[in-house]
Amino acid sequence: LWTAVYCVILVATDASALVGLFTRFTEETFSILISFIFIYEAIMKIAKLETKYPPLGKFKSNYSLEYNCSCIVGSNESLGLIPSEITYSSCDADYNGTVSGKGCPPVGATGDVFFLSFIEFFFTFLIAFYLKKIRASSFFPTKVRAIIADFAVIIAIICMVGLDLGYGVPTPKLLVPEKFQPTRHMDRGWFINPVPNGLSWWVPIAAFIPALLAVILVFMDQQITALIVNRRENKLKKGPGYHLDLLIVGILIAVCSLLGLPWVVAATVRSMTHVNSLNILDDKTAPGEKPRFLGVREQRVTNFMVFLLHGLSVLMTPILKLVPLPILYGLFLFMGVSSLNGVQFYDRLLLLFMPAKYMPDHYYVRHVPNKRIHLFTICQLLSFAGLCIVKLTAAKLIFPIAVLALVIVRYFLKYLFTNEELKILDDEMPDVIKRKKEDEGDVEIAPYNDKDYMRPTATGDSAVAEHYRPLNMTTAIDGSHPMQYVKRRLSTANGVTHITGDGDIATNAV
């Protein structure tokens, strides 16, 4: 309840204006952390099944005992027979004994469970991931590709549930209640008393202190998720509602707290997945050409149906019981991996392992030296590692403060990088838009670096030069350094430099 009160106070004091301090550095570090948690938790969940259901192979009662598995009869005395002459079923039926030893399978566990669980986990991810990408492929007509991509997750779930039912292996299933009642119905009702009997009067008042940590996390989670969803590259037409969203979150937190329900807050990965599922692509493209992104379908139907189905899920318990948990773990992995798409931090991490001549044509690669790009990436990677350490250790209590510290880290980066470098590396404008404007001659630029090769070709009121941007450098036998450049024409008028070039490749020995 204190958290809800704080949310209302933040709305009333126009605190959402503080989102102006959240740059791409903060947004993407936080979003990558959430994606990493989804991936990490999915892998750890499926790994734990290996302990509960050890892979011992397909077990049958008529299998012979192994040498490290004995048939114990009477007072802990094993039969003096060769183990291969005794089967698991004959030990009980013929000798009234019990099998014992390290080689004996655990009671109620078979190796088939883990292997089938891993298959369901892995193929749920693969089917959903690749069917989602079929929208941009060359197979099938456009409408068919769109339908397959939209229902990729549903197709993956149905296929794997069918596989599970076909084999009949007792894989762990989704646990759902059979009655519509509180989980702890034996000791509580539907309503939670904020001041229960026997609780000291000062405890509800003192709760405002830990509520500060909760509201920091709720505020950061909500506003960063809203910023990611409302990025320019999504081409949304409707404006954001930061104050309204935070007010609704505060009201829902109060209602859920009184009913003992989980809080309804922003979900970064699911929000990004939802936006990606509503992408509109141009279907009028040449064969083999990548479809052009046109925007996002902005509507309320999908959100309404999602929460309606959440409510109706209480009536679907007979169906939900059939869904194995490994399939859900595969979906978590899919959401975590798919949310990495389009994150500049992730793209720059990949550049750390690429030679300069193979780097993609990103805007920041054009105008910032590679060493500076890598230094910025390493700073962001260290911030991400710090968040992971706090989140996954006993220090998780201060996680909200650690998230808030990202803003402070970004502030001190201005002493390590120039304003021009930060504007390029941490600009909110989509990279593809900046590259397009630059190619069309609509972007003002600073010189690439001191290795740029500029050659004037005209004089007068508007000076024109050919700008050669270094691509790669190799050392020749004679010791010279033949360097490849991207040739671009630069026009200077009124002290402003514009690109109007053609991007030809030229070679110059330096």
Side-chain angles (χ1 to χ4, degrees), residues 372-387:
R372 304 295 288 174
I373 295 175
H374 296 336
L375 179 60
F376 186 83
T377 303
I378 291 173
C379 292
Q380 195 168 7
L381 183 61
L382 291 176
S383 301
F384 166 74
L387 286 180

Side-chain angles (χ1 to χ4, degrees), residues 62 84 153 224 424:
N62 60 353
S84 59
V153 174
I224 289 177
I424 294 173

Side-chain angles (χ1 to χ4, degrees), residues 260-307:
L261 299 175
W263 288 355
V264 179
V265 295
T268 306
V269 171
R270 280 175 285 177
S271 298
M272 296 167 63
T273 305
H274 185 207
V275 172
N276 292 335
S277 67
L278 296 174
N279 287 350
I280 303 175
L281 301 179
D282 186 8
D283 56 353
K284 298 178 181 179
T285 56
E289 183 181 355
K290 186 178 180 180
R292 185 166 56 93
F293 174 72
L294 301 178
V296 177
R297 293 181 179 86
E298 299 181 61
Q299 35 73 48
R300 297 183 177 90
V301 176
T302 52
N303 282 308
F304 176 79
M305 292 302 298
V306 165
F307 287 99

Side-chain angles (χ1 to χ4, degrees), residues 218-236:
V218 170
F219 179 81
M220 297 287 289
D221 190 16
Q222 170 61 41
Q223 305 298 21
I224 289 177
T225 303
L227 283 171
I228 294 174
V229 170
N230 289 281
R231 280 178 179 169
R232 294 183 184 180
E233 53 255 52
N234 291 331
K235 299 182 179 181
L236 300 180

